[in-house]
């Protein structure tokens, strides 16, 4: 990321278990309007803020975008400050969904109750193309390109760096 006080694109990575195996969703700071929901938006604070999927998923034959709305008081974009804030009390985000041109609708709530945990000695890695959300497949050309791109990035990371 960029050094403070410069704004940076912030992310929210979610992993949970479902009947078919793990599911992963990556959200980043975006705008929430009709154009902005398709664009990354650098931010200086974790909340309040909007995190969007940028790329669509298919639900009941329609393309939808997923998002999370952080409604907490101002929390600067610093990992240590975030970890301290979560240890004091849970941080709540509204989970939202919208068609690519429709209004956002709340469908759930995400409660962060502790700092991110590692998967062990290795860095945490997310591969949403390999761990899709059941009954919510990725949709569109950019989503189809995502799997080979993530696979390439993950293989470089596992080798410990870029070969020269």
């Amino acid at each position: 990321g960029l050094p403070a006080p410069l704004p940076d694109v912030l992310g929210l990575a979610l992993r949970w278990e479902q009947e078919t195996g793990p599911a992963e969703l990556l959200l980043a700071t975006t705008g929430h309007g009709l154009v902005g929901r398709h664009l990354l938006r650098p931010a200086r604070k974790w909340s309040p803020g909007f995190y969007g999927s940028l790329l669509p998923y298919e639900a009941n034959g329609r393309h939808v975008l997923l998002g999370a709305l952080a409604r907490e008081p101002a929390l600067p974009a610093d990992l240590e400050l975030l970890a301290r804030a979560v240890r004091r009390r849970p941080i709540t985000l509204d989970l939202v969904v919208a068609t690519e041109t429709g209004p956002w609708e709340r469908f759930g709530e995400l409660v962060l109750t502790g700092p991110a945990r590692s998967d062990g000695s290795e860095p945490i890695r997310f591969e949403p193309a390999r761990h899709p959300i059941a009954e919510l497949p990725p949709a569109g050309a950019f989503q189809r390109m995502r799997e080979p791109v993530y696979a390439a990035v993950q293989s470089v990371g596992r080798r410990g760096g870029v070969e020269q």
Side-chain angles (χ1 to χ4, degrees):
L2 297 173
L6 296 174
D8 203 351
V9 174
L10 305 177
L12 180 61
L14 307 172
R15 178 183 293 146
W16 67 94
E17 286 298 321
Q18 53 190 2
E19 287 183 21
T20 57
E24 296 178 351
L25 174 64
L26 301 180
L27 303 174
T29 48
T30 65
H32 61 278
L34 291 179
V35 174
R37 65 181 67 179
H38 299 284
L39 301 171
L40 293 171
R41 181 179 184 178
R44 285 191 174 95
K45 53 190 171 189
W46 295 109
S47 67
F50 187 82
Y51 298 82
S53 62
L54 281 177
L55 301 176
Y57 293 84
E58 186 178 325
N60 297 322
R62 298 184 319 176
H63 286 190
V64 298
L65 296 168
L66 302 174
L69 178 61
R71 54 185 169 166
E72 301 293 322
L75 182 58
D78 176 277
L79 289 173
E80 184 53 39
L81 291 175
L82 177 63
R84 275 191 256 148
V86 171
R87 282 192 290 268
R88 281 194 303 276
R89 69 176 181 80
I91 294 176
T92 303
L93 297 96
D94 290 319
L95 295 175
V96 294
V97 63
T99 61
E100 291 182 288
T101 58
W104 292 100
E105 297 179 33
R106 185 180 185 276
F107 71 88
E109 186 174 85
L110 173 65
V111 180
L112 304 178
T113 59
R117 294 185 309 269
S118 171
D119 289 345
S121 61
E122 293 293 317
I124 296 174
R125 300 209 183 270
F126 287 82
E127 299 180 64
R130 288 189 50 216
H131 302 120
I133 304 167
E135 300 182 34
L136 198 66
F142 286 114
Q143 284 279 37
R144 286 190 291 280
M145 290 188 297
R146 188 180 209 179
E147 186 167 4
V149 170
Y150 272 84
V153 169
Q154 297 294 339
S155 69
V156 169
R158 286 190 186 100
R159 286 195 311 258
V162 177
E163 294 179 3
Q164 305 216 356

